[in-house]
PDB file of all heavy atoms in Angstrom:
ATOM      1  N   ALA A   2     -12.717  -6.362  14.763  1.00 44.00           N
ATOM      2  CA  ALA A   2     -11.574  -6.547  13.867  1.00 44.00           C
ATOM      3  C   ALA A   2     -11.998  -7.313  12.623  1.00 44.00           C
ATOM      4  O   ALA A   2     -12.834  -8.202  12.686  1.00 44.00           O
ATOM      5  CB  ALA A   2     -10.459  -7.306  14.586  1.00 44.00           C
ATOM      6  N   VAL A   3     -11.436  -6.919  11.501  1.00 49.00           N
ATOM      7  CA  VAL A   3     -11.699  -7.644  10.266  1.00 49.00           C
ATOM      8  C   VAL A   3     -10.710  -8.785  10.148  1.00 49.00           C
ATOM      9  O   VAL A   3      -9.668  -8.800  10.790  1.00 49.00           O
ATOM     10  CB  VAL A   3     -11.592  -6.713   9.035  1.00 49.00           C
ATOM     11  CG1 VAL A   3     -12.717  -5.717   9.046  1.00 49.00           C
ATOM     12  CG2 VAL A   3     -10.272  -5.979   9.010  1.00 49.00           C
ATOM     13  N   THR A   4     -11.029  -9.779   9.341  1.00 52.00           N
ATOM     14  CA  THR A   4     -10.154 -10.930   9.190  1.00 52.00           C
ATOM     15  C   THR A   4      -8.905 -10.542   8.414  1.00 52.00           C
ATOM     16  O   THR A   4      -8.914  -9.593   7.643  1.00 52.00           O
ATOM     17  CB  THR A   4     -10.885 -12.057   8.439  1.00 52.00           C
ATOM     18  OG1 THR A   4     -11.363 -11.546   7.207  1.00 52.00           O
ATOM     19  CG2 THR A   4     -12.046 -12.566   9.250  1.00 52.00           C
ATOM     20  N   PRO A   5      -7.812 -11.265   8.586  1.00 56.00           N
ATOM     21  CA  PRO A   5      -6.580 -10.933   7.870  1.00 56.00           C
ATOM     22  C   PRO A   5      -6.794 -10.878   6.362  1.00 56.00           C
ATOM     23  O   PRO A   5      -7.495 -11.709   5.796  1.00 56.00           O
ATOM     24  CB  PRO A   5      -5.629 -12.075   8.271  1.00 56.00           C
ATOM     25  CG  PRO A   5      -6.129 -12.528   9.600  1.00 56.00           C
ATOM     26  CD  PRO A   5      -7.623 -12.383   9.528  1.00 56.00           C
ATOM     27  N   ALA A   6      -6.192  -9.882   5.748  1.00 77.00           N
ATOM     28  CA  ALA A   6      -6.444  -9.640   4.338  1.00 77.00           C
ATOM     29  C   ALA A   6      -5.390 -10.283   3.454  1.00 77.00           C
ATOM     30  O   ALA A   6      -4.212 -10.285   3.778  1.00 77.00           O
ATOM     31  CB  ALA A   6      -6.465  -8.139   4.073  1.00 77.00           C
ATOM     32  N   THR A   7      -5.821 -10.851   2.341  1.00 87.00           N
ATOM     33  CA  THR A   7      -4.896 -11.253   1.291  1.00 87.00           C
ATOM     34  C   THR A   7      -4.643 -10.025   0.429  1.00 87.00           C
ATOM     35  O   THR A   7      -5.372  -9.038   0.510  1.00 87.00           O
ATOM     36  CB  THR A   7      -5.510 -12.360   0.419  1.00 87.00           C
ATOM     37  OG1 THR A   7      -6.638 -11.824  -0.274  1.00 87.00           O
ATOM     38  CG2 THR A   7      -5.956 -13.542   1.268  1.00 87.00           C
ATOM     39  N   PRO A   8      -3.609 -10.044  -0.425  1.00 87.00           N
ATOM     40  CA  PRO A   8      -3.375  -8.881  -1.279  1.00 87.00           C
ATOM     41  C   PRO A   8      -4.583  -8.459  -2.100  1.00 87.00           C
ATOM     42  O   PRO A   8      -4.879  -7.272  -2.212  1.00 87.00           O
ATOM     43  CB  PRO A   8      -2.208  -9.339  -2.159  1.00 87.00           C
ATOM     44  CG  PRO A   8      -1.444 -10.259  -1.282  1.00 87.00           C
ATOM     45  CD  PRO A   8      -2.503 -11.010  -0.510  1.00 87.00           C
ATOM     46  N   LEU A   9      -5.315  -9.411  -2.685  1.00 86.00           N
ATOM     47  CA  LEU A   9      -6.476  -9.023  -3.478  1.00 86.00           C
ATOM     48  C   LEU A   9      -7.590  -8.485  -2.602  1.00 86.00           C
ATOM     49  O   LEU A   9      -8.341  -7.607  -3.011  1.00 86.00           O
ATOM     50  CB  LEU A   9      -6.963 -10.195  -4.331  1.00 86.00           C
ATOM     51  CG  LEU A   9      -6.074 -10.535  -5.527  1.00 86.00           C
ATOM     52  CD1 LEU A   9      -6.632 -11.740  -6.283  1.00 86.00           C
ATOM     53  CD2 LEU A   9      -5.941  -9.355  -6.485  1.00 86.00           C
ATOM     54  N   ASP A  10      -7.724  -8.991  -1.378  1.00 92.00           N
ATOM     55  CA  ASP A  10      -8.698  -8.424  -0.449  1.00 92.00           C
ATOM     56  C   ASP A  10      -8.365  -6.967  -0.155  1.00 92.00           C
ATOM     57  O   ASP A  10      -9.245  -6.122  -0.038  1.00 92.00           O
ATOM     58  CB  ASP A  10      -8.710  -9.199   0.870  1.00 92.00           C
ATOM     59  CG  ASP A  10      -9.335 -10.575   0.750  1.00 92.00           C
ATOM     60  OD1 ASP A  10     -10.180 -10.766  -0.147  1.00 92.00           O
ATOM     61  OD2 ASP A  10      -8.969 -11.445   1.547  1.00 92.00           O
ATOM     62  N   ILE A  11      -7.080  -6.679  -0.028  1.00 95.00           N
ATOM     63  CA  ILE A  11      -6.648  -5.312   0.224  1.00 95.00           C
ATOM     64  C   ILE A  11      -7.138  -4.389  -0.878  1.00 95.00           C
ATOM     65  O   ILE A  11      -7.648  -3.300  -0.625  1.00 95.00           O
ATOM     66  CB  ILE A  11      -5.111  -5.256   0.337  1.00 95.00           C
ATOM     67  CG1 ILE A  11      -4.642  -5.977   1.601  1.00 95.00           C
ATOM     68  CG2 ILE A  11      -4.616  -3.818   0.360  1.00 95.00           C
ATOM     69  CD1 ILE A  11      -3.168  -6.292   1.613  1.00 95.00           C
ATOM     70  N   ALA A  12      -7.042  -4.833  -2.122  1.00 94.00           N
ATOM     71  CA  ALA A  12      -7.476  -4.012  -3.252  1.00 94.00           C
ATOM     72  C   ALA A  12      -8.978  -3.798  -3.255  1.00 94.00           C
ATOM     73  O   ALA A  12      -9.465  -2.779  -3.744  1.00 94.00           O
ATOM     74  CB  ALA A  12      -7.043  -4.663  -4.566  1.00 94.00           C
ATOM     75  N   SER A  13      -9.723  -4.734  -2.703  1.00 92.00           N
ATOM     76  CA  SER A  13     -11.180  -4.638  -2.763  1.00 92.00           C
ATOM     77  C   SER A  13     -11.747  -3.595  -1.811  1.00 92.00           C
ATOM     78  O   SER A  13     -12.913  -3.235  -1.914  1.00 92.00           O
ATOM     79  CB  SER A  13     -11.812  -6.004  -2.460  1.00 92.00           C
ATOM     80  OG  SER A  13     -11.659  -6.340  -1.089  1.00 92.00           O
ATOM     81  N   HIS A  14     -10.943  -3.089  -0.889  1.00 93.00           N
ATOM     82  CA  HIS A  14     -11.446  -2.122   0.083  1.00 93.00           C
ATOM     83  C   HIS A  14     -11.609  -0.726  -0.503  1.00 93.00           C
ATOM     84  O   HIS A  14     -12.299   0.108   0.095  1.00 93.00           O
ATOM     85  CB  HIS A  14     -10.509  -2.060   1.294  1.00 93.00           C
ATOM     86  CG  HIS A  14     -10.674  -3.215   2.237  1.00 93.00           C
ATOM     87  ND1 HIS A  14     -11.736  -3.334   3.095  1.00 93.00           N
ATOM     88  CD2 HIS A  14      -9.905  -4.307   2.449  1.00 93.00           C
ATOM     89  CE1 HIS A  14     -11.620  -4.441   3.808  1.00 93.00           C
ATOM     90  NE2 HIS A  14     -10.518  -5.064   3.421  1.00 93.00           N
ATOM     91  N   GLY A  15     -10.985  -0.427  -1.615  1.00 95.00           N
ATOM     92  CA  GLY A  15     -11.105   0.904  -2.191  1.00 95.00           C
ATOM     93  C   GLY A  15     -10.071   1.119  -3.267  1.00 95.00           C
ATOM     94  O   GLY A  15      -9.119   0.339  -3.396  1.00 95.00           O
ATOM     95  N   PRO A  16     -10.208   2.182  -4.041  1.00 97.00           N
ATOM     96  CA  PRO A  16      -9.313   2.396  -5.177  1.00 97.00           C
ATOM     97  C   PRO A  16      -7.935   2.921  -4.824  1.00 97.00           C
ATOM     98  O   PRO A  16      -7.022   2.847  -5.647  1.00 97.00           O
ATOM     99  CB  PRO A  16     -10.077   3.418  -6.031  1.00 97.00           C
ATOM    100  CG  PRO A  16     -10.926   4.149  -5.058  1.00 97.00           C
ATOM    101  CD  PRO A  16     -11.318   3.155  -4.015  1.00 97.00           C
ATOM    102  N   VAL A  17      -7.760   3.453  -3.611  1.00 98.00           N
ATOM    103  CA  VAL A  17      -6.472   4.058  -3.255  1.00 98.00           C
ATOM    104  C   VAL A  17      -5.998   3.523  -1.907  1.00 98.00           C
ATOM    105  O   VAL A  17      -6.747   3.530  -0.923  1.00 98.00           O
ATOM    106  CB  VAL A  17      -6.565   5.596  -3.181  1.00 98.00           C
ATOM    107  CG1 VAL A  17      -5.182   6.192  -2.870  1.00 98.00           C
ATOM    108  CG2 VAL A  17      -7.107   6.179  -4.481  1.00 98.00           C
ATOM    109  N   ILE A  18      -4.746   3.054  -1.880  1.00 98.00           N
ATOM    110  CA  ILE A  18      -4.090   2.695  -0.627  1.00 98.00           C
ATOM    111  C   ILE A  18      -3.145   3.837  -0.264  1.00 98.00           C
ATOM    112  O   ILE A  18      -2.221   4.137  -1.020  1.00 98.00           O
ATOM    113  CB  ILE A  18      -3.298   1.383  -0.756  1.00 98.00           C
ATOM    114  CG1 ILE A  18      -4.249   0.215  -1.047  1.00 98.00           C
ATOM    115  CG2 ILE A  18      -2.502   1.113   0.523  1.00 98.00           C
ATOM    116  CD1 ILE A  18      -3.547  -1.106  -1.277  1.00 98.00           C
ATOM    117  N   PRO A  19      -3.385   4.500   0.863  1.00 98.00           N
ATOM    118  CA  PRO A  19      -2.496   5.605   1.225  1.00 98.00           C
ATOM    119  C   PRO A  19      -1.119   5.105   1.633  1.00 98.00           C
ATOM    120  O   PRO A  19      -0.997   4.135   2.391  1.00 98.00           O
ATOM    121  CB  PRO A  19      -3.216   6.270   2.407  1.00 98.00           C
ATOM    122  CG  PRO A  19      -4.048   5.184   3.002  1.00 98.00           C
ATOM    123  CD  PRO A  19      -4.449   4.300   1.856  1.00 98.00           C
ATOM    124  N   VAL A  20      -0.095   5.759   1.128  1.00 98.00           N
ATOM    125  CA  VAL A  20       1.287   5.469   1.508  1.00 98.00           C
ATOM    126  C   VAL A  20       1.663   6.509   2.561  1.00 98.00           C
ATOM    127  O   VAL A  20       1.791   7.695   2.253  1.00 98.00           O
ATOM    128  CB  VAL A  20       2.231   5.534   0.297  1.00 98.00           C
ATOM    129  CG1 VAL A  20       3.671   5.257   0.722  1.00 98.00           C
ATOM    130  CG2 VAL A  20       1.782   4.544  -0.770  1.00 98.00           C
ATOM    131  N   ILE A  21       1.821   6.059   3.798  1.00 98.00           N
ATOM    132  CA  ILE A  21       1.879   6.965   4.945  1.00 98.00           C
ATOM    133  C   ILE A  21       3.282   7.007   5.527  1.00 98.00           C
ATOM    134  O   ILE A  21       3.866   5.970   5.858  1.00 98.00           O
ATOM    135  CB  ILE A  21       0.880   6.506   6.026  1.00 98.00           C
ATOM    136  CG1 ILE A  21      -0.537   6.421   5.440  1.00 98.00           C
ATOM    137  CG2 ILE A  21       0.912   7.428   7.227  1.00 98.00           C
ATOM    138  CD1 ILE A  21      -1.514   5.696   6.339  1.00 98.00           C
ATOM    139  N   VAL A  22       3.811   8.216   5.668  1.00 98.00           N
ATOM    140  CA  VAL A  22       5.086   8.439   6.338  1.00 98.00           C
ATOM    141  C   VAL A  22       4.792   9.188   7.636  1.00 98.00           C
ATOM    142  O   VAL A  22       4.272  10.306   7.604  1.00 98.00           O
ATOM    143  CB  VAL A  22       6.056   9.249   5.461  1.00 98.00           C
ATOM    144  CG1 VAL A  22       7.368   9.500   6.205  1.00 98.00           C
ATOM    145  CG2 VAL A  22       6.312   8.534   4.142  1.00 98.00           C
ATOM    146  N   ILE A  23       5.095   8.565   8.762  1.00 98.00           N
ATOM    147  CA  ILE A  23       4.815   9.161  10.066  1.00 98.00           C
ATOM    148  C   ILE A  23       6.118   9.557  10.741  1.00 98.00           C
ATOM    149  O   ILE A  23       6.998   8.720  10.955  1.00 98.00           O
ATOM    150  CB  ILE A  23       4.009   8.189  10.952  1.00 98.00           C
ATOM    151  CG1 ILE A  23       2.630   7.947  10.332  1.00 98.00           C
ATOM    152  CG2 ILE A  23       3.875   8.729  12.372  1.00 98.00           C
ATOM    153  CD1 ILE A  23       1.742   7.016  11.117  1.00 98.00           C
ATOM    154  N   GLU A  24       6.226  10.835  11.058  1.00 98.00           N
ATOM    155  CA  GLU A  24       7.430  11.342  11.717  1.00 98.00           C
ATOM    156  C   GLU A  24       7.351  11.217  13.235  1.00 98.00           C
ATOM    157  O   GLU A  24       8.371  11.054  13.905  1.00 98.00           O
ATOM    158  CB  GLU A  24       7.653  12.819  11.341  1.00 98.00           C
ATOM    159  CG  GLU A  24       7.873  13.066   9.852  1.00 98.00           C
ATOM    160  CD  GLU A  24       9.236  12.588   9.371  1.00 98.00           C
ATOM    161  OE1 GLU A  24      10.105  12.294  10.222  1.00 98.00           O
ATOM    162  OE2 GLU A  24       9.426  12.500   8.144  1.00 98.00           O
ATOM    163  N   HIS A  25       6.136  11.312  13.784  1.00 98.00           N
ATOM    164  CA  HIS A  25       5.950  11.294  15.239  1.00 98.00           C
ATOM    165  C   HIS A  25       4.849  10.303  15.587  1.00 98.00           C
ATOM    166  O   HIS A  25       3.746  10.371  15.022  1.00 98.00           O
ATOM    167  CB  HIS A  25       5.591  12.680  15.748  1.00 98.00           C
ATOM    168  CG  HIS A  25       6.583  13.742  15.365  1.00 98.00           C
ATOM    169  ND1 HIS A  25       7.833  13.836  15.950  1.00 98.00           N
ATOM    170  CD2 HIS A  25       6.517  14.739  14.436  1.00 98.00           C
ATOM    171  CE1 HIS A  25       8.487  14.848  15.411  1.00 98.00           C
ATOM    172  NE2 HIS A  25       7.719  15.411  14.488  1.00 98.00           N
TER     173      HIS A  25
END
Side-chain angles (χ1 to χ4, degrees):
V3 292
T4 55
T7 65
L9 287 178
D10 288 334
I11 292 165
S13 71
H14 283 285
V17 183
I18 296 176
V20 179
I21 304 167
V22 178
I23 295 180
E24 298 288 347
H25 305 287

